[in-house]
Amino acid sequence: MPEQHEGTEQRTAPDHHTADHHSADHHSAADHAAADRATGHHTAAAPTSAATATRLGRRRLLRAGLGAGGALAALRLLPGGRAWAAAPAPGPVLAAAPAPAPGAAVAPGEAARAAQPAAAQAWPDWARYARIADGTFNEPADMQSAVDALKAQEVSVVELDTLLSNWLTDAEFAAHMAEVKTFIGLAHAAGMKVVMYYPSLELISPGGEKGRSFYKNDQGRNWVQRDLAGKPNVFYGSVVVWVDPGDESVWLSPNSPWRDYYLKRIKGVAATGVDGIWPDVPIYFDGVLSWCDASTWGAAAFKADTGLALPRAANFTDPVFRRYVEWRHRNLLRFQLDIADAGRSVNPDLVTFVETVSMDYRYATSIGLDGGYLRQAPGAVAQVWEVDILGNYDGMRHATASDWVCLISMYKYARAASGTKPAWAFSYGWQPDDASLVMSQLIAAGCNPYEVKTPYKNDTVDAAMRTRMYRFVRTNQQKLYDPASIARVGVYHSAPSRDYVAPGEGNGMYVNPTAPAGITDWWGGDDPQMSCAQVPWLGEFRGTVKALVYAHVPFDTVTSPGLTADDLARYKVLLLPDLQAVSDAEAALLRAFVAAGGTVVITGPAPTALDELGGQRSEFALSDVLGLRRADPLPATRQNSYGNGTCWYVKARAGLSYLTRTDQASADQLLTAVRQSAPPAVTLAGDRRIFLDARQLGGDTVVHLVNFTAFGDTPAAFATTPANCTLSYALPAGADVTAVTVASPDGIDPAPKPVPYTVTGGTVSVPLTVAQYAVVTVTAG
């Protein structure tokens, strides 16, 4: 397949400069409604709110989701009301990985690949201990100075983001790869690795609105994503900030020949000697249209995989539409695996980190990219998690304590959804003090930091802050990233429940959607529906996390795609917030967990009442474990023995109540079972707004403490208030303490230092003062 066709204009490559991916000019809901009336475009409500429509940056917009009707794009979309009519070439038949849906087709060789363990390819130390930063260069002459600056800031991995977003001829691409190879040589000489950023499904044509473009003059018109009404997912500048006025953006179908086009270019990147590929957001972009891809390519792939024709409209009561929602997750998973395979076909040591904007909240539903699906995929392919903050021009400076819990929840989800692989994550900040606190939480959750100043992606908040924090990571990297969690409590994140339980407008990224006085470009656009407190399933999940954080109970998030018995083996208690949608296979694993002696806490008004595609069950999937039948009135609470274990059921959404009211009664409904069945070995006496996590490495128990005590119930000016606390650890039988040390990035010296402690009976106690972040190591033998 030729990558450019006869008559394609030979263009000079634009200046090597990465566009700003963020902005803040807002459009009103009235503007969107007017655009809908002008075009006649309408779709059923999706799980994002039109009230959040803004002229946002690439990453900011992809997280917020521009809403149900995609009305903003109607102002500048190309005309075309029906899908491209040419017969598609046979699209790739999808692997149903990691868990095949009923009747799903599996492409030749894919069953074997899906069956390989995720750890089949060992991860290099440089990826496991990465300290990442953007490495844009404007001209070749700037390369050495860029490398020198990053090296001085303790950066170990450079994300190189240049002009690969743009429509390039073969000659332009080849010339640019020669420049990239030069940069890689300089970075390697400085002891740093390079990972190449490359948008995966979007292509921008500079000047393409009036001039030549990939959509109008090449294959874009044939390969474009389309919504369920047949409209093409292409638009022009001023809709989103990363597409300059006059430029064209087209989002391509992953099932079209674009796949081969892109994978060929990936091989070209891999040939430069780069250490990794960073594909940007392989999604069904919903900033201008919703529920793509209904192109002929997408329709053929959906039919091949499911045997079904595409749904005609977005309707969550339609089982075919619900199947379409789930299919898009697996379809994008296959594309990610193909990207990684293409790179490794050139360089077997290449790693792939897919930039993933969908976290634990309800955005994966609308864009199709569920990060949890990649967890057990074989080979060196993981995620760069794009964890957003509250304000594009304020960071987390006006967070409430509950907003801070949401940030904790997102980083914990990122760590869990990456499984045993490295979990790289964005660390956004506005000023050095809020930036270092966000990064502290990121590191405490076990993620690798990619430090950037909001709302940009190519600069640091503060070079001295980055250097201080990254030096701390380098000094303590084995202690930060090698230990295993000692949590005996898991919180189950149900992707099907996220998708199908009460679909509505808000995405639920944080609690407070209303900008504080004087703050612009706030995440929720002042729309109350955006709050996770208004999204029942997510509010229950986040409130459960809050109860555990406030009780200083170490816990892990447990993600649902590809769940196995091994995922549950080390937990004594599994919290199942508002678990409604569950497959028979998942139900069997949960049943076996309880039968073997585990404890589960299930909350919500319809426990396991839906199947994995959101269809109503005639009986609860876990009726035997619950001791309840669907035909019977549900009790307010029930405790039921099953096998050697116990199920605690709470009809109310106790987590949602705790999220909004912080009432002890709701917390007790969630935590009584934890206190009885899994009392933690590590405890903390101190303010409940000190996050605690604990891990084990040989004889070392490593405890992370992050202080967010300056945050309250309402937004206030940012401050760092040192907090006094006492850490206690119940020693294993027969063990003696040989040392207790504390390391922190808050001072000048990041190395661990001995601190006083006392031992009473079998418990060691350590009095501490935590400024922002402290890592305590108790060594016992």
Side-chain angles (χ1 to χ4, degrees):
M1 180 195 70
E3 296 204 4
Q4 297 290 343
H5 297 268
E6 186 175 356
T8 299
E9 181 181 3
Q10 296 290 116
R11 293 167 292 109
T12 302
D15 185 47
H16 301 177
H17 181 71
T18 302
D20 167 14
H21 292 296
H22 297 264
S23 186
D25 300 334
H26 290 263
H27 297 266
S28 70
D31 293 335
H32 307 157
D36 268 351
R37 290 192 295 270
T39 62
H41 177 60
H42 176 73
T43 58
T48 49
S49 172
T52 65
T54 52
R55 184 177 179 267
L56 299 170
R58 178 191 194 93
R59 292 180 161 89
R60 177 82 170 159
L61 179 71
L62 295 179
R63 290 187 300 274
L66 277 189
L72 181 59
L75 296 173
R76 310 202 68 189
L77 284 173
L78 281 179
R82 62 187 181 91
W84 177 51
V93 180
L94 303 178
V106 180
E110 285 304 305
R113 180 170 72 175
Q116 298 176 46
Q121 179 168 340
W123 283 87
D125 283 351
W126 69 262
R128 295 194 304 113
Y129 301 142
R131 308 177 303 277
I132 311 132
D134 179 89
T136 300
F137 59 88
N138 291 324
E139 297 291 345
D142 299 329
M143 292 182 187
Q144 188 63 62
S145 60
V147 167
D148 292 343
L150 294 172
K151 180 69 173 178
Q153 294 166 14
E154 297 276 359
V155 172
S156 66
V157 176
V158 180
E159 179 243 12
L160 184 58
D161 180 355
T162 55
L163 51 75
L164 293 185
S165 300
N166 292 346
W167 181 33
L168 302 176
T169 65
D170 285 344
E172 290 168 343
F173 178 80
H176 187 55
M177 288 302 98
E179 294 177 342
V180 166
K181 188 172 183 178
T182 299
F183 183 92
I184 292 168
L186 295 174
H188 285 174
M192 294 186 292
K193 301 295 183 179
V194 179
V195 180
M196 191 76 202
Y197 171 90
Y198 195 173
S200 59
L201 290 175
E202 183 193 30
L203 195 62
I204 294 173
S205 299
E209 182 169 15
K210 296 182 179 179
R212 299 180 65 83
S213 73
F214 188 73
Y215 183 86
K216 298 193 300 290
N217 304 105
D218 206 317
Q219 290 292 343
R221 184 185 303 274
N222 297 341
W223 300 346
V224 68
Q225 296 177 12
R226 292 179 183 270
D227 71 0
L228 293 172
K231 289 185 171 61
N233 203 353
V234 58
F235 58 92
Y236 295 101
S238 301
V239 172
V240 292
V241 71
W242 73 86
V243 182
D244 290 335
D247 291 355
E248 172 194 278
S249 170
V250 58
W251 285 77
L252 290 313
S253 168
N255 299 103
S256 74
W258 166 258
R259 195 187 203 97
D260 294 332
Y261 182 112
Y262 182 76
L263 296 181
K264 180 179 178 182
R265 291 275 172 101
I266 285 290
K267 293 176 182 179
V269 173
T272 64
V274 72
D275 303 286
I277 305 291
W278 181 309
D280 187 23
V281 290
I283 64 172
Y284 298 109
F285 179 61
D286 72 341
V288 295
L289 294 173
S290 298
W291 303 112
C292 298
D293 177 33
S295 68
T296 50
W297 310 100
F302 182 68
K303 178 78 170 181
D305 197 33
T306 67
L308 300 171
L310 285 173
R312 294 181 178 274
N315 179 4
F316 277 91
T317 66
D318 176 8
V320 176
F321 176 73
R322 295 197 304 269
R323 185 66 177 275
Y324 178 63
V325 170
E326 183 276 337
W327 170 81
R328 299 192 316 157
H329 297 316
R330 290 185 294 111
N331 193 39
L332 292 179
L333 168 66
R334 169 66 187 272
F335 183 46
Q336 295 170 74
L337 297 181
D338 283 355
I339 294 170
D341 285 350
R344 286 197 297 268
S345 72
V346 175
N347 176 7
D349 295 326
L350 197 74
V351 301
T352 301
F353 282 88
V354 181
E355 187 169 329
T356 304
V357 302
S358 43
M359 302 301 304
D360 63 337
Y361 56 93
R362 197 167 56 190
Y363 191 35
T365 308
S366 59
I367 64 171
L369 182 62
D370 185 322
Y373 276 65
L374 198 58
R375 177 173 65 96
Q376 293 192 350
V381 52
Q383 297 96 339
V384 179
W385 297 97
E386 193 169 351
V387 183
D388 197 18
I389 33 69
L390 288 166
N392 246 4
Y393 298 93
D394 196 56
M396 293 294 288
R397 301 193 69 80
H398 286 86
T400 66
S402 292
D403 289 327
W404 190 260
V405 168
C406 291
L407 185 72
I408 292 172
S409 181
M410 285 188 267
Y411 281 127
K412 291 286 285 186
Y413 173 86
R415 177 58 276 170
S418 289
T420 60
K421 307 173 183 185
W424 295 2
F426 278 60
S427 183
Y428 278 123
W430 182 241
Q431 294 183 21
D433 51 359
D434 65 84
S436 59
L437 186 58
V438 169
M439 195 189 302
S440 295
Q441 182 56 57
L442 177 157
I443 298 167
C447 300
N448 297 84
Y450 171 57
E451 189 270 323
V452 285
K453 181 179 177 64
T454 181
Y456 311 104
K457 70 166 294 291
N458 58 353
D459 201 2
T460 177
V461 171
D462 176 75
M465 182 278 302
R466 177 190 277 177
T467 304
R468 172 173 56 85
M469 296 296 294
Y470 278 13
R471 182 173 294 127
F472 168 79
V473 174
R474 176 179 57 78
T475 302
N476 298 281
Q477 59 188 17
Q478 288 86 3
K479 188 174 295 186
L480 297 177
Y481 297 112
D482 290 354
S485 171
I486 64 171
R488 295 297 176 259
V489 178
V491 182
Y492 192 55
H493 182 277
S494 168
S497 295
R498 175 206 61 211
D499 285 346
Y500 302 123
V501 174
E505 289 292 314
N507 67 35
M509 191 187 304
Y510 285 99
V511 174
N512 177 26
T514 304
I519 304 301
T520 60
D521 196 16
W522 193 251
W523 78 275
D526 297 333
D527 180 0
Q529 294 182 94
M530 294 299 289
S531 171
C532 59
Q534 300 300 316
V535 182
W537 177 84
L538 181 63
E540 181 68 3
F541 178 84
R542 289 278 183 78
T544 301
V545 169
K546 180 178 177 178
L548 291 165
V549 170
Y550 275 28
H552 301 135
V553 175
F555 71 94
D556 295 331
T557 302
V558 179
T559 57
S560 54
L563 183 71
T564 67
D566 287 345
D567 294 329
L568 304 179
R570 63 186 177 81
Y571 299 111
K572 293 184 176 180
V573 177
L574 189 62
L575 300 172
L576 306 170
D578 201 13
L579 179 62
Q580 296 190 36
V582 61
S583 68
D584 290 343
E586 283 179 287
L589 289 168
L590 296 173
R591 181 180 297 107
F593 172 78
V594 180
T599 297
V600 294
V601 181
I602 305 180
T603 64
T608 67
L610 305 176
D611 65 25
E612 70 274 22
L613 295 176
Q616 292 288 336
R617 291 181 177 273
S618 59
E619 185 54 85
F620 296 141
L622 291 176
S623 61
D624 49 353
V625 176
L626 288 156
L628 300 169
R629 299 189 64 82
R630 188 160 190 173
D632 300 329
L634 288 176
T637 61
R638 181 179 176 85
Q639 188 175 346
N640 185 58
S641 296
Y642 181 82
N644 294 319
T646 306
C647 175
W648 298 60
Y649 171 65
V650 180
K651 180 180 179 181
R653 290 186 174 100
L656 180 58
S657 174
Y658 192 71
L659 179 70
T660 55
R661 298 190 299 164
T662 322
D663 61 305
Q664 191 58 45
S666 294
D668 289 342
Q669 287 186 303
L670 298 169
L671 299 179
T672 298
V674 173
R675 298 187 187 107
Q676 291 185 10
S677 300
V682 178
T683 58
L684 190 74
D687 194 298
R688 61 191 180 185
R689 294 164 297 174
I690 301 174
F691 171 79
L692 180 151
D693 211 344
R695 304 185 190 114
Q696 195 78 33
L697 181 64
D700 288 345
T701 300
V702 182
V703 181
H704 299 257
L705 301 173
V706 181
N707 172 14
F708 64 104
T709 59
F711 299 92
D713 293 333
T714 58
F718 185 90
T720 296
T721 305
N724 296 321
C725 58
T726 299
L727 177 72
S728 297
Y729 172 53
L731 294 164
D736 294 320
V737 178
T738 59
V740 178
T741 62
V742 174
S744 174
D746 299 335
I748 297 175
D749 185 358
K753 299 189 174 51
V755 293
Y757 62 91
T758 59
V759 178
T760 304
T763 300
V764 57
S765 298
V766 186
L768 298 162
T769 300
V770 181
Q772 285 194 336
Y773 180 31
V775 178
V776 184
T777 302
V778 179
T779 303

